[in-house]
Amino acid sequence: MVSYMGAVLYGFVGIVVAVMALLVAFQEKLVYVPVLPGLTKSYQVTPARLRLLYEDVWLRSSDGVRLHAWFIKVLPESRGPTVLFFQENAGSILTMIHHYKYMSSVFGSFSLKRLQCNVFMLSYRGYGESDGYPSQHGITKDAQAALDHLSQRTDIDTSRIVVFGRSLGGAVGALLTKNNPDKVNALILENTFTSIMDLAGVLLPFLKWFIGGTGSKAPKLLNFLVRSPWSTIDIVGQIKQPILFLSGLQDEMVPPFHMQMLYDKAAAHNRECIFVDFPNGMHMDTWLVGGDHYWRTIQQFLEKHVPEIKEHESSHDAKVIPFLLEIL
Protein backbone atom coordinates (compact mmCIF):
# COMPACT_ATOMS: atom_id res chain seq x y z
CA MET A 1 0.00 0.00 0.00
CA VAL A 2 2.82 2.36 0.89
CA SER A 3 4.63 1.65 -2.34
CA TYR A 4 1.43 2.24 -4.31
CA MET A 5 0.83 5.61 -2.64
CA GLY A 6 4.46 6.49 -3.17
CA ALA A 7 4.16 5.71 -6.88
CA VAL A 8 1.07 7.93 -7.10
CA LEU A 9 2.87 10.73 -5.30
CA TYR A 10 5.93 10.44 -7.51
CA GLY A 11 3.67 10.39 -10.56
CA PHE A 12 1.89 13.56 -9.45
CA VAL A 13 5.17 15.30 -8.71
CA GLY A 14 6.44 14.25 -12.12
CA ILE A 15 3.41 15.76 -13.84
CA VAL A 16 3.82 19.01 -11.92
CA VAL A 17 7.50 19.20 -12.82
CA ALA A 18 6.74 18.49 -16.49
CA VAL A 19 4.06 21.19 -16.58
CA MET A 20 6.38 23.66 -14.88
CA ALA A 21 9.11 22.93 -17.44
CA LEU A 22 6.62 23.41 -20.26
CA LEU A 23 5.44 26.74 -18.87
CA VAL A 24 8.93 28.05 -18.26
CA ALA A 25 10.32 27.05 -21.64
CA PHE A 26 7.47 27.52 -24.09
CA GLN A 27 4.77 29.76 -22.64
CA GLU A 28 5.45 32.73 -24.94
CA LYS A 29 5.11 30.42 -27.94
CA LEU A 30 1.83 29.14 -26.53
CA VAL A 31 0.43 32.58 -25.72
CA TYR A 32 1.64 34.56 -28.74
CA VAL A 33 1.10 33.36 -32.31
CA PRO A 34 2.25 36.13 -34.67
CA VAL A 35 1.38 34.12 -37.77
CA LEU A 36 -0.20 30.80 -38.66
CA PRO A 37 2.23 27.97 -39.51
CA GLY A 38 3.27 27.99 -43.15
CA LEU A 39 2.57 31.69 -43.67
CA THR A 40 5.01 34.57 -43.80
CA LYS A 41 5.08 37.39 -41.24
CA SER A 42 5.43 40.07 -43.90
CA TYR A 43 2.24 41.47 -45.40
CA GLN A 44 1.61 40.63 -49.03
CA VAL A 45 -1.24 43.13 -49.30
CA THR A 46 -1.07 46.77 -48.27
CA PRO A 47 -3.92 49.25 -47.85
CA ALA A 48 -2.89 50.79 -51.18
CA ARG A 49 -3.94 47.62 -52.96
CA LEU A 50 -7.35 48.12 -51.45
CA ARG A 51 -7.34 51.74 -52.66
CA LEU A 52 -7.15 53.20 -49.19
CA LEU A 53 -5.29 56.34 -48.21
CA TYR A 54 -2.75 55.28 -45.61
CA GLU A 55 0.53 56.13 -43.95
CA ASP A 56 3.30 53.74 -42.92
CA VAL A 57 4.22 54.65 -39.36
CA TRP A 58 7.40 53.55 -37.60
CA LEU A 59 7.54 53.94 -33.82
CA ARG A 60 9.98 53.28 -31.02
CA SER A 61 8.67 51.67 -27.87
CA SER A 62 10.04 53.07 -24.62
CA ASP A 63 12.59 50.25 -24.48
CA GLY A 64 13.81 50.99 -28.00
CA VAL A 65 12.01 48.27 -29.98
CA ARG A 66 11.12 49.38 -33.54
CA LEU A 67 7.41 48.99 -34.31
CA HIS A 68 5.37 49.18 -37.48
CA ALA A 69 1.83 50.49 -37.84
CA TRP A 70 -0.59 51.66 -40.50
CA PHE A 71 -2.64 54.82 -40.14
CA ILE A 72 -5.68 54.93 -42.42
CA LYS A 73 -7.72 58.07 -42.90
CA VAL A 74 -11.15 57.23 -44.22
CA LEU A 75 -11.36 60.66 -45.81
CA PRO A 76 -8.40 63.06 -46.22
CA GLU A 77 -10.14 65.76 -44.17
CA SER A 78 -11.87 63.47 -41.70
CA ARG A 79 -11.76 64.75 -38.12
CA GLY A 80 -13.97 61.98 -36.82
CA PRO A 81 -13.08 59.45 -34.13
CA THR A 82 -9.78 57.61 -34.43
CA VAL A 83 -9.90 53.90 -33.65
CA LEU A 84 -6.72 52.45 -32.19
CA PHE A 85 -7.08 48.80 -33.19
CA PHE A 86 -5.30 45.94 -31.43
CA GLN A 87 -5.28 42.67 -33.30
CA GLU A 88 -6.05 39.13 -32.29
CA ASN A 89 -3.55 36.28 -32.21
CA ALA A 90 -2.58 34.69 -35.54
CA GLY A 91 -4.32 37.57 -37.24
CA SER A 92 -2.93 40.69 -38.79
CA ILE A 93 -3.64 44.35 -39.01
CA LEU A 94 -5.02 43.55 -42.45
CA THR A 95 -8.06 42.02 -40.74
CA MET A 96 -9.53 45.42 -39.98
CA ILE A 97 -8.80 46.60 -43.51
CA HIS A 98 -10.67 43.68 -45.02
CA HIS A 99 -13.54 44.44 -42.61
CA TYR A 100 -13.60 47.97 -43.91
CA LYS A 101 -13.43 46.97 -47.58
CA TYR A 102 -16.00 44.20 -47.33
CA MET A 103 -18.47 46.16 -45.28
CA SER A 104 -18.13 49.19 -47.54
CA SER A 105 -19.19 47.18 -50.55
CA VAL A 106 -21.81 44.97 -48.92
CA PHE A 107 -23.34 46.97 -46.10
CA GLY A 108 -22.50 50.42 -47.38
CA SER A 109 -24.06 52.83 -44.94
CA PHE A 110 -22.84 50.95 -41.88
CA SER A 111 -19.21 50.44 -42.83
CA LEU A 112 -16.29 52.14 -41.13
CA LYS A 113 -16.51 54.70 -43.91
CA ARG A 114 -20.01 55.55 -42.76
CA LEU A 115 -18.67 55.88 -39.22
CA GLN A 116 -16.10 58.41 -40.45
CA CYS A 117 -13.39 56.73 -38.37
CA ASN A 118 -9.67 56.94 -38.86
CA VAL A 119 -7.98 53.64 -38.00
CA PHE A 120 -4.53 53.17 -36.48
CA MET A 121 -3.35 49.56 -36.56
CA LEU A 122 -0.27 48.49 -34.64
CA SER A 123 1.79 45.35 -35.09
CA TYR A 124 2.99 44.25 -31.65
CA ARG A 125 6.69 43.45 -31.25
CA GLY A 126 7.39 40.18 -33.04
CA TYR A 127 4.28 40.59 -35.20
CA GLY A 128 4.21 41.76 -38.82
CA GLU A 129 7.10 44.10 -39.64
CA SER A 130 7.82 44.99 -36.00
CA ASP A 131 11.08 43.94 -34.37
CA GLY A 132 11.54 42.12 -31.10
CA TYR A 133 9.83 39.24 -29.31
CA PRO A 134 6.36 39.39 -27.72
CA SER A 135 5.73 39.48 -23.99
CA GLN A 136 3.09 41.15 -21.83
CA HIS A 137 5.59 43.66 -20.50
CA GLY A 138 6.79 44.52 -24.01
CA ILE A 139 3.38 44.66 -25.71
CA THR A 140 2.12 46.95 -22.95
CA LYS A 141 4.93 49.35 -23.87
CA ASP A 142 4.07 49.00 -27.58
CA ALA A 143 0.44 49.90 -26.99
CA GLN A 144 1.46 52.97 -24.99
CA ALA A 145 3.82 54.07 -27.77
CA ALA A 146 0.96 53.86 -30.28
CA LEU A 147 -1.38 55.90 -28.09
CA ASP A 148 1.30 58.50 -27.36
CA HIS A 149 1.90 58.85 -31.10
CA LEU A 150 -1.79 59.43 -31.76
CA SER A 151 -2.08 61.91 -28.91
CA GLN A 152 0.66 64.04 -30.47
CA ARG A 153 -0.76 64.09 -34.01
CA THR A 154 -2.18 67.38 -35.27
CA ASP A 155 -4.26 65.91 -38.11
CA ILE A 156 -6.81 64.12 -35.91
CA ASP A 157 -9.17 65.05 -33.12
CA THR A 158 -7.22 63.74 -30.13
CA SER A 159 -10.27 64.16 -27.91
CA ARG A 160 -12.00 61.33 -29.80
CA ILE A 161 -9.65 58.35 -29.51
CA VAL A 162 -11.35 54.95 -29.15
CA VAL A 163 -9.49 51.74 -28.36
CA PHE A 164 -10.80 48.59 -30.09
CA GLY A 165 -9.36 45.19 -29.16
CA ARG A 166 -10.24 41.73 -30.38
CA SER A 167 -9.30 38.61 -28.37
CA LEU A 168 -5.68 39.17 -27.23
CA GLY A 169 -6.09 42.74 -28.47
CA GLY A 170 -8.91 43.22 -25.99
CA ALA A 171 -6.60 42.40 -23.11
CA VAL A 172 -4.03 44.84 -24.51
CA GLY A 173 -6.64 47.53 -25.08
CA ALA A 174 -8.26 47.19 -21.67
CA LEU A 175 -4.97 47.67 -19.86
CA LEU A 176 -4.08 50.67 -22.03
CA THR A 177 -7.50 52.24 -21.46
CA LYS A 178 -7.25 51.80 -17.70
CA ASN A 179 -3.80 53.37 -17.65
CA ASN A 180 -4.80 56.38 -19.80
CA PRO A 181 -8.14 57.81 -18.64
CA ASP A 182 -7.14 61.22 -20.00
CA LYS A 183 -6.22 60.00 -23.50
CA VAL A 184 -8.73 57.23 -24.30
CA ASN A 185 -12.38 58.20 -24.58
CA ALA A 186 -14.01 54.80 -24.97
CA LEU A 187 -13.21 51.10 -25.29
CA ILE A 188 -14.61 48.33 -27.52
CA LEU A 189 -13.89 44.69 -26.62
CA GLU A 190 -14.68 41.78 -28.93
CA ASN A 191 -14.40 38.09 -27.98
CA THR A 192 -11.86 38.76 -25.24
CA PHE A 193 -10.83 36.32 -22.50
CA THR A 194 -10.97 36.95 -18.76
CA SER A 195 -7.32 35.96 -18.31
CA ILE A 196 -4.64 33.72 -19.79
CA MET A 197 -4.87 31.59 -16.64
CA ASP A 198 -8.55 30.90 -17.32
CA LEU A 199 -7.98 30.39 -21.04
CA ALA A 200 -5.12 27.95 -20.45
CA GLY A 201 -7.51 25.41 -18.94
CA VAL A 202 -9.78 25.73 -21.98
CA LEU A 203 -7.09 25.26 -24.62
CA LEU A 204 -5.07 22.70 -22.62
CA PRO A 205 -7.58 21.08 -20.21
CA PHE A 206 -4.97 19.40 -17.99
CA LEU A 207 -3.70 22.87 -16.99
CA LYS A 208 -6.95 23.70 -15.21
CA TRP A 209 -5.69 21.57 -12.30
CA PHE A 210 -2.64 23.79 -11.88
CA ILE A 211 -3.53 27.27 -13.16
CA GLY A 212 -6.58 29.47 -12.66
CA GLY A 213 -7.69 33.08 -12.78
CA THR A 214 -9.32 35.28 -10.15
CA GLY A 215 -12.67 33.53 -10.23
CA SER A 216 -11.33 30.02 -10.69
CA LYS A 217 -11.58 27.28 -8.07
CA ALA A 218 -8.40 25.64 -9.36
CA PRO A 219 -5.52 25.18 -6.90
CA LYS A 220 -3.50 27.80 -8.86
CA LEU A 221 -0.28 26.05 -7.90
CA LEU A 222 1.59 27.26 -10.98
CA ASN A 223 0.14 30.74 -11.42
CA PHE A 224 3.44 32.23 -10.31
CA LEU A 225 5.10 30.84 -13.45
CA VAL A 226 2.78 32.65 -15.88
CA ARG A 227 4.70 35.59 -17.34
CA SER A 228 1.82 36.90 -19.46
CA PRO A 229 -1.31 36.63 -17.29
CA TRP A 230 -3.30 39.31 -19.16
CA SER A 231 -5.86 39.32 -16.36
CA THR A 232 -8.50 41.45 -18.06
CA ILE A 233 -11.08 40.49 -15.45
CA ASP A 234 -9.04 42.41 -12.88
CA ILE A 235 -8.68 45.41 -15.17
CA VAL A 236 -12.20 46.09 -16.49
CA GLY A 237 -13.58 46.88 -13.07
CA GLN A 238 -11.15 49.80 -12.85
CA ILE A 239 -12.02 51.36 -16.22
CA LYS A 240 -14.11 54.54 -16.01
CA GLN A 241 -14.59 55.15 -19.75
CA PRO A 242 -17.61 53.74 -21.64
CA ILE A 243 -17.15 50.13 -22.78
CA LEU A 244 -18.90 48.25 -25.59
CA PHE A 245 -18.75 44.44 -25.37
CA LEU A 246 -19.25 42.53 -28.65
CA SER A 247 -19.66 38.78 -28.08
CA GLY A 248 -19.96 35.97 -30.62
CA LEU A 249 -21.98 33.22 -28.95
CA GLN A 250 -20.46 30.48 -31.13
CA ASP A 251 -16.87 31.47 -30.26
CA GLU A 252 -14.84 28.27 -30.52
CA MET A 253 -11.65 29.74 -28.99
CA VAL A 254 -12.78 31.86 -26.05
CA PRO A 255 -15.92 30.57 -24.27
CA PRO A 256 -18.62 33.28 -24.53
CA PHE A 257 -19.08 33.27 -20.76
CA HIS A 258 -15.70 35.01 -20.53
CA MET A 259 -17.21 38.08 -22.21
CA GLN A 260 -20.26 37.91 -19.95
CA MET A 261 -17.99 37.78 -16.88
CA LEU A 262 -16.02 40.79 -18.13
CA TYR A 263 -19.22 42.75 -18.68
CA ASP A 264 -20.60 41.84 -15.24
CA LYS A 265 -17.37 42.91 -13.56
CA ALA A 266 -17.20 46.20 -15.47
CA ALA A 267 -20.91 47.04 -15.14
CA ALA A 268 -20.73 46.67 -11.37
CA HIS A 269 -18.51 49.77 -11.29
CA ASN A 270 -19.32 51.56 -14.56
CA ARG A 271 -22.80 52.54 -15.75
CA GLU A 272 -21.61 53.22 -19.28
CA CYS A 273 -21.23 49.56 -20.28
CA ILE A 274 -23.13 47.94 -23.14
CA PHE A 275 -23.23 44.21 -23.94
CA VAL A 276 -24.32 43.03 -27.38
CA ASP A 277 -24.20 39.39 -28.48
CA PHE A 278 -24.32 37.85 -31.93
CA PRO A 279 -25.90 34.35 -31.88
CA ASN A 280 -23.96 33.00 -34.87
CA GLY A 281 -20.67 34.80 -34.28
CA MET A 282 -17.49 32.72 -34.00
CA HIS A 283 -14.12 33.92 -32.76
CA MET A 284 -12.93 35.45 -36.02
CA ASP A 285 -16.13 36.16 -37.94
CA THR A 286 -18.44 37.96 -35.52
CA TRP A 287 -17.98 41.16 -37.55
CA LEU A 288 -19.07 39.29 -40.69
CA VAL A 289 -22.07 37.32 -39.48
CA GLY A 290 -23.13 40.27 -37.34
CA GLY A 291 -23.56 42.27 -40.54
CA ASP A 292 -25.66 45.39 -40.39
CA HIS A 293 -26.41 44.96 -36.68
CA TYR A 294 -22.70 44.80 -35.83
CA TRP A 295 -21.86 48.09 -37.52
CA ARG A 296 -25.01 49.84 -36.36
CA THR A 297 -24.10 48.93 -32.77
CA ILE A 298 -20.65 50.48 -33.12
CA GLN A 299 -22.10 53.55 -34.84
CA GLN A 300 -24.59 54.17 -32.03
CA PHE A 301 -21.89 53.67 -29.39
CA LEU A 302 -19.58 56.20 -31.05
CA GLU A 303 -22.37 58.72 -31.60
CA LYS A 304 -23.29 58.55 -27.93
CA HIS A 305 -19.87 58.49 -26.30
CA VAL A 306 -17.50 60.25 -28.73
CA PRO A 307 -19.80 62.74 -30.46
CA GLU A 308 -18.56 65.42 -32.79
CA ILE A 309 -18.21 68.81 -31.11
CA LYS A 310 -19.73 71.42 -33.37
CA GLU A 311 -17.86 74.66 -33.91
CA HIS A 312 -20.71 76.76 -32.62
CA GLU A 313 -20.81 74.64 -29.44
CA SER A 314 -17.10 75.16 -28.77
CA SER A 315 -17.36 78.89 -29.43
CA HIS A 316 -20.35 79.06 -27.11
CA ASP A 317 -18.33 77.30 -24.40
CA ALA A 318 -15.48 79.75 -24.96
CA LYS A 319 -17.85 82.61 -24.12
CA VAL A 320 -19.62 80.92 -21.22
CA ILE A 321 -16.54 79.69 -19.33
CA PRO A 322 -14.95 83.19 -18.86
CA PHE A 323 -18.35 84.48 -17.74
CA LEU A 324 -18.65 81.73 -15.13
CA LEU A 325 -15.14 82.46 -13.92
CA GLU A 326 -16.06 86.13 -13.47
CA ILE A 327 -19.15 85.47 -11.37
CA LEU A 328 -17.30 82.88 -9.30
Side-chain angles (χ1 to χ4, degrees), residues 74-75 78-82 111-118:
V74 178
L75 295 173
S78 174
R79 301 290 291 187
T82 295
S111 65
L112 284 180
K113 187 172 182 179
R114 175 69 177 90
L115 300 180
Q116 296 290 285
C117 287
N118 306 309

Side-chain angles (χ1 to χ4, degrees), residues 112-149:
L112 284 180
K113 187 172 182 179
R114 175 69 177 90
L115 300 180
Q116 296 290 285
C117 287
N118 306 309
V119 184
F120 190 90
M121 294 173 287
L122 173 73
S123 285
Y124 316 126
R125 60 185 62 199
Y127 286 65
E129 302 291 343
S130 295
D131 296 339
Y133 299 93
S135 67
Q136 178 168 339
H137 183 68
I139 291 177
T140 299
K141 291 178 179 294
D142 300 343
Q144 188 65 54
L147 179 59
D148 291 344
H149 169 82

Side-chain angles (χ1 to χ4, degrees), residues 157-175:
D157 185 346
T158 56
S159 69
R160 303 176 73 191
I161 294 177
V162 179
V163 169
F164 188 150
R166 177 180 293 113
S167 190
L168 171 64
V172 177
L175 183 56

Side-chain angles (χ1 to χ4, degrees), residues 161-192:
I161 294 177
V162 179
V163 169
F164 188 150
R166 177 180 293 113
S167 190
L168 171 64
V172 177
L175 183 56
L176 181 71
T177 300
K178 191 268 290 187
N179 290 340
N180 294 271
D182 56 332
K183 293 182 179 179
V184 177
N185 298 86
L187 172 66
I188 302 175
L189 298 179
E190 181 177 328
N191 295 338
T192 298

Side-chain angles (χ1 to χ4, degrees), residues 90 98 117 150 155 177 207 212 218 254 264 279 311:
H98 284 299
C117 287
L150 283 179
D155 58 342
T177 300
L207 286 179
V254 178
D264 291 342
E311 288 187 9

Side-chain angles (χ1 to χ4, degrees), residues 65-310:
V65 176
R66 188 169 182 257
L67 308 171
H68 176 248
W70 280 333
F71 178 61
I72 298 175
K73 297 194 75 171
V74 178
L75 295 173
E77 301 303 322
S78 174
R79 301 290 291 187
T82 295
V83 173
L84 174 52
F85 179 72
F86 293 118
Q87 69 186 68
E88 65 277 23
N89 243 334
S92 77
I93 55 179
L94 275 173
T95 303
M96 200 66 171
I97 297 176
H98 284 299
H99 293 187
Y100 164 82
K101 197 66 177 177
Y102 184 87
M103 301 308 282
S104 291
S105 60
V106 178
F107 296 106
S109 63
F110 292 107
S111 65
L112 284 180
K113 187 172 182 179
R114 175 69 177 90
L115 300 180
Q116 296 290 285
C117 287
N118 306 309
V119 184
F120 190 90
M121 294 173 287
L122 173 73
S123 285
Y124 316 126
R125 60 185 62 199
Y127 286 65
E129 302 291 343
S130 295
D131 296 339
Y133 299 93
S135 67
Q136 178 168 339
H137 183 68
I139 291 177
T140 299
K141 291 178 179 294
D142 300 343
Q144 188 65 54
L147 179 59
D148 291 344
H149 169 82
L150 283 179
S151 299
Q152 294 166 11
R153 292 187 72 111
T154 59
D155 58 342
I156 67 169
D157 185 346
T158 56
S159 69
R160 303 176 73 191
I161 294 177
V162 179
V163 169
F164 188 150
R166 177 180 293 113
S167 190
L168 171 64
V172 177
L175 183 56
L176 181 71
T177 300
K178 191 268 290 187
N179 290 340
N180 294 271
D182 56 332
K183 293 182 179 179
V184 177
N185 298 86
L187 172 66
I188 302 175
L189 298 179
E190 181 177 328
N191 295 338
T192 298
F193 46 79
T194 53
S195 72
I196 287 294
M197 282 86 75
D198 290 331
L199 192 61
V202 173
L203 301 180
L204 299 172
F206 72 90
L207 286 179
K208 67 183 179 182
W209 300 105
F210 307 101
I211 296 174
T214 301
S216 172
K217 296 180 180 179
K220 306 177 185 178
L221 297 176
L222 302 182
N223 276 18
F224 71 97
L225 292 176
V226 180
R227 292 190 290 267
S228 293
W230 290 117
S231 189
T232 312
I233 191 70
D234 295 323
I235 296 298
V236 292
Q238 304 175 55
I239 295 175
K240 306 303 181 184
Q241 300 96 312
I243 311 175
L244 171 61
F245 296 82
L246 303 172
S247 177
L249 298 185
Q250 302 302 316
D251 193 327
E252 74 286 7
M253 293 292 294
V254 178
F257 72 80
H258 279 229
M259 282 291 286
Q260 186 64 56
M261 288 178 65
L262 290 176
Y263 169 75
D264 291 342
K265 183 65 174 290
H269 306 275
N270 184 344
R271 294 184 178 181
E272 300 293 347
C273 292
I274 303 170
F275 185 91
V276 180
D277 59 40
F278 301 87
N280 299 315
M282 298 180 72
H283 192 63
M284 296 288 286
D285 73 354
T286 297
W287 66 271
L288 178 59
V289 300
D292 184 88
H293 178 45
Y294 179 93
W295 293 99
R296 184 187 295 273
T297 297
I298 296 176
Q299 181 188 43
Q300 293 174 343
F301 179 75
L302 295 180
E303 288 177 347
K304 178 178 180 181
H305 296 293
V306 283
E308 179 182 3
I309 299 177
K310 303 295 183 181

